[in-house]
Amino acid sequence: MTDPKPPTRELFEVALALAPDERVAFLAQHCADAAQRAIVERMLAVDADAAAHVLDDSFDALLDRVGDSRSETETVSPIGSSVGPFTLEEKLGEGGSSIVFRATREQAGVTQTVALKLLRRGLYSNEEQRRFRSERLALAQLRHPGIARLIEGGVTAAGVPYIALELIDGKPITEYAREQRLDLRHRLQLFVAVCRAVEAAHRALIVHRDLKPSNVLVTHDGDVKLLDFGIAKLLDAEADEDVTHTQHHAMTPAYAAPEQFSHGAITTATDVYSLGVLLAELITGGRREPGDSHTPSSQIGEVSTPGVLPASPKVTRRQLRGDLDNVVLKATADDPERRYTSAGAFADDIERHLAGQPVAAHPPSTWYRTRKFVARHKGGVLTTAAFLLAVFAALGFALWQANVARQQARRADEQAARAVAVRDFLVSLLDAAQAKVPAAEKPTVDVLVASARERVNQDAALLPSIRADVMVTLGMVSMTYGDLDTSRELLEKALAIKRDLYAEDDPERWSAAVQLANAIERLGRFDEADRLLRPLLPYFRAHDSKIAIEGLEMLTAAEVRTGKVDAALDIAHEAAAMGARVMRPDSREALTIAAFPGKTLSLAGKSEATLAALEPIVQRWHELGLSPDVSYSEMLNNLAVNKIKLGDYRDGEALLSEAIGIARGISPLSPVFATNLRNLGRVRVSLGLYAEAEAPLHEALDIDRHAFASGSIGMLGSLVANASLQKEQGHIPAAETYLLEASTVCATAEGAKNDMCARIRNTLATIRLQQQRLDEAASLASEAFEQRKQLFGETHPNVAEIQTTLADIALRRAKATEAIELSSQAEKIFTGANLMNGREAVLAKVVHANALIALHRSNEALAEIEPAIARWQSIEARATPLMFRLLTTNALASAAAGDAAAARAHAQQALTLGVPAEAVQVDDLRAARRLATP
């Protein structure tokens, strides 16, 4: 498939902005068609001809004649010269009608900086200069926060007109949207601000005539500023009371309305057309050609440069289809009568779309022609039709409203009755459970749930809807306390009942599926959760509600854990957009939902993107003065974990400490608090701060033992973290005790696919490697590798961690070539994720260097290991097994390179670290002792 032929107008416009000696190379590269290239060259030649005539024909005539009826002033004032009261300092840009400078003037000791435009066409007659000054005075009165203010203007002694404008530090709106990766809602809000500024100028009887991205800037603070308002009036050679016709046409062909080419009336509708073209480019990334009747949504391809579109191509097409397609088509209609009546009406329609209300835009249709006919034949037809329509509309609305009211009342009555019934049933369960235990004891949660399960299954008097509600309640209680098997069983039964009671699109039905998916995901069955939730995506999208947002969040986690990262990010952004619609702006709930994409990026192993997504939300939380809660603590935890992955251990530790302080004050026995403690312990272990790591890791394990039932996968994180602490200190039997307990949990069918089980197998494999039980180590690491590939795909950093272990095993088996291949693959993944300062990436570098030594490539090994030591020492992780191995590897490489003194120094440094012998590989310890001996 060949690339589409670029529009002649666009080629001309881009080439015109280039220096003359650059145009030939540009056209040779971008205009393959010789005939089209000849046309553009002819247009450029005519533009440069000062004696050329005005554009008084249609665009077709532009192919042969481009110019102005008057000669232009081509002399460019040098930098440092004065123009009026201003001194030129720097050339900022150049266009077809003007040259723009940064200029300053001194007034009463105050320096004022402006953007000064020198207009190319001179004004030589007294009448022309009088008219220019008159128009300049009128434009100077135009005041609006969205319009760059005209400050001064005049005519030099040489007849060259100039104007001084407010200097705006900003970027074109399309570039700003692309760089900030704005979603559709924020792009439309920016565009509404543009329309409101244009509307203000129209009220002052000023038409812009040249609206385009370069004239619509967005400042660093996100404020819209329009440039060059009224400049077209200043360029008019024949301005009079009727300014709808001009001889000089200030316009950019790609954004100009048809009447600007045909010398038709220039009205506010002209600016509406340009706004329509600008909107289409802002939301699709491409410009509309004149006369194009295709909808914007149909012109979006399958591939897009990041940031050009507000979302993925698929999502953007869906967002534009319908209302926004019609809005753009109405604004860019060839007939000015069919466009919006004003820029304000255009903005009103966009705001109606943002508010979820019907828009005024309609595509051409039979109904449209009928309305035109009625407008031409007012009187009896119109009066009769209006009367009948009013009667039928009122009657239909009344019937619809009554039906909706009845349905809502019936649903409310049903839900209230069900809530009361569920409450009464649960109260009776508490009484029954209390009777089953000795009076001195309180019934535990598992006793309550077991009693409830028996009762809810046997009570024939329960209505099916109430039975399902009770099962959902009990399932959520079991989930909270870690009994995930019971939770899943109850929620599956509840969903089965609701499938019989409710239609497929009824929230009662798919909300039960969302709760079941929650339990399934906690069991590590993300593929199963994905199959359950994926068919429900259309229903989530159709119902702006908290339960729909929860469903999108559950589906996001399932998609990313099954390797569908791009799809997961799209869904996460949908959830965030829905949260912005459903929740009160800037509320803690809205900010929590806005963090979904960041959490998804974290799960996907994209650490830098995670920080970019979450840090602004945390900052906004601070700016609003919101009190910290569990969600805020989770955000800090995600930030901390990803900072640590990027090698920023100290900032990560500080964030974790803050998260722990928040969680301890809110819910000191919650699994979320345990997660924060666990992560803090892990980072301290990596830094070699073993004594400081013990308290948070032991507390996390105590919380999990209290919160989760025996044998629950909720225990795994704390078990493996405590095992790692013992392993790093050389307490191998204690580490094995924790890992074997965790392995017992992973041996169950439900827990076997949990990612934490892969971590446990990998940690146990490294212990077996230290014990030189290579076959067992290889078996465990291979199982972990296959498991993580299924969960994350082949290029996730978690997969690279296991590849490093497999490479180390190959190295110990004297398979250096295999070790090189595996460690190189791991390093490639870590480098792609910018995680080369992380502990796992440093370990991969160590294994790779040792394999190079085994292959007698000692100089290459030295070139790799010395920078790795410097990086790790900068983290201040000195007395750790990893640092011991780094120094020992450096000693081995130095010895192999013939530098015995360096080898001895590095080996002695390793031995004086004080790392327990049990915490390092036997081969490394022997090598260090051998090389340290003089």
Side-chain angles (χ1 to χ4, degrees), residues 419-652:
V420 171
V422 170
R423 181 202 63 192
D424 292 344
F425 184 81
L426 292 175
V427 169
S428 68
L429 285 176
L430 290 173
D431 292 338
Q434 184 68 50
K436 291 185 177 181
V437 298
E441 298 180 13
K442 294 181 180 180
T444 60
V445 173
D446 55 341
V447 169
L448 289 174
V449 173
S451 177
R453 288 171 63 192
E454 181 180 353
R455 173 87 174 273
V456 78
N457 287 322
Q458 294 177 356
D459 194 335
L462 279 179
L463 293 174
S465 59
I466 296 174
R467 189 188 308 277
D469 288 345
V470 171
M471 287 179 170
V472 168
T473 301
L474 295 174
M476 298 305 293
V477 170
S478 298
M479 188 189 305
T480 301
Y481 283 89
D483 189 355
L484 298 178
D485 291 333
T486 298
S487 175
R488 174 174 182 168
E489 177 188 341
L490 288 163
L491 292 170
E492 281 180 336
K493 289 181 178 178
L495 179 58
I497 294 171
K498 292 197 174 192
R499 279 174 172 163
D500 291 336
L501 293 176
Y502 303 105
E504 186 175 11
D505 61 345
D506 194 306
E508 286 282 354
R509 177 167 168 174
W510 50 259
S511 63
V514 170
Q515 304 300 351
L516 174 58
N518 194 351
I520 292 173
E521 288 189 5
R522 294 191 185 210
L523 287 165
R525 306 296 291 267
F526 292 99
D527 51 348
E528 190 175 330
D530 190 47
R531 289 194 299 271
L532 176 63
L533 293 176
R534 187 31 103 155
L536 303 178
L537 185 55
Y539 306 135
F540 299 154
R541 288 170 171 165
H543 293 79
D544 281 3
S545 62
K546 288 185 178 181
I547 189 64
I549 293 170
E550 186 178 348
L552 291 172
E553 183 184 16
M554 291 290 107
L555 181 55
T556 296
E559 296 270 294
V560 76
R561 291 298 186 90
T562 52
K564 297 186 279 289
V565 175
D566 291 339
L569 286 172
D570 286 343
I571 297 169
H573 284 294
E574 286 189 63
M578 187 181 292
R581 296 192 298 269
V582 172
M583 305 299 177
R584 180 171 53 82
D586 281 341
S587 64
R588 66 178 67 249
E589 294 83 2
L591 292 179
T592 298
I593 295 168
F596 284 177
K599 291 171 62 177
T600 305
L601 288 164
S602 182
L603 287 172
K606 300 179 182 295
S607 294
E608 287 186 316
T610 300
L611 300 185
L614 290 182
E615 284 180 332
I617 298 174
V618 171
Q619 178 63 32
R620 185 60 179 159
W621 198 294
H622 280 292
E623 291 171 356
L624 294 170
L626 299 176
S627 59
D629 63 3
V630 172
S631 297
Y632 180 76
S633 174
E634 286 185 292
M635 288 184 215
L636 294 182
N637 183 70
N638 270 307
L639 284 175
V641 168
N642 286 281
K643 279 182 175 288
I644 290 164
K645 287 182 178 179
L646 291 167
D648 191 350
Y649 285 77
R650 294 302 176 186
D651 275 1

Side-chain angles (χ1 to χ4, degrees), residues 381-394:
V381 172
L382 183 56
T383 302
T384 302
F387 176 75
L388 290 174
L389 285 173
V391 170
F392 287 130

Side-chain angles (χ1 to χ4, degrees), residues 53-118:
H53 296 289
V54 68
L55 296 176
D56 50 9
D57 290 320
S58 65
F59 173 69
D60 292 336
L62 179 64
L63 305 181
D64 298 312
R65 295 191 295 138
V66 177
D68 189 1
S69 62
R70 294 180 180 268
S71 62
E72 295 183 349
T73 301
E74 298 295 339
T75 302
V76 177
S77 299
I79 300 300
S81 63
S82 296
V83 174
F86 298 97
T87 300
L88 303 184
E89 292 192 343
E90 177 189 0
K91 182 177 176 182
L92 298 178
E94 184 173 357
S97 62
S98 64
I99 305 173
V100 186
F101 296 87
R102 181 193 301 274
T104 60
R105 70 174 171 185
E106 295 281 345
Q107 283 186 328
V110 177
T111 301
Q112 182 182 27
T113 304
V114 301
L116 189 138
K117 287 180 177 281
L118 279 176

Side-chain angles (χ1 to χ4, degrees), residues 70 121-139 153-156 159-162 233-241 243:
R70 294 180 180 268
R121 190 173 57 80
L123 303 177
Y124 303 107
S125 72
N126 291 334
E127 177 60 22
E128 283 181 319
Q129 294 187 19
R130 183 198 64 76
R131 187 180 300 112
F132 176 86
R133 293 190 179 95
S134 175
E135 293 295 347
R136 183 260 300 167
L137 289 173
L139 290 172
V155 182
T156 67
V160 179
Y162 69 87
K233 283 188 95 176
L234 295 175
L235 292 173
D236 270 350
E238 297 178 357
D240 52 27
E241 294 300 321
V243 294

Side-chain angles (χ1 to χ4, degrees), residues 669-680:
L669 295 178
S670 71
V672 172
F673 180 45
T675 298
N676 292 337
L677 289 168
R678 190 161 56 244
N679 287 332
L680 179 61

Side-chain angles (χ1 to χ4, degrees), residues 202-239:
H202 287 175
R203 285 198 300 268
L205 304 181
I206 299 173
V207 179
H208 192 291
R209 314 184 199 192
D210 195 22
L211 289 168
K212 56 186 176 181
S214 60
N215 279 338
V216 182
L217 302 186
V218 183
T219 68
H220 299 300
D221 295 329
D223 298 324
V224 168
K225 288 284 188 178
L226 272 62
L227 308 182
D228 288 1
F229 243 117
I231 303 305
K233 283 188 95 176
L234 295 175
L235 292 173
D236 270 350
E238 297 178 357

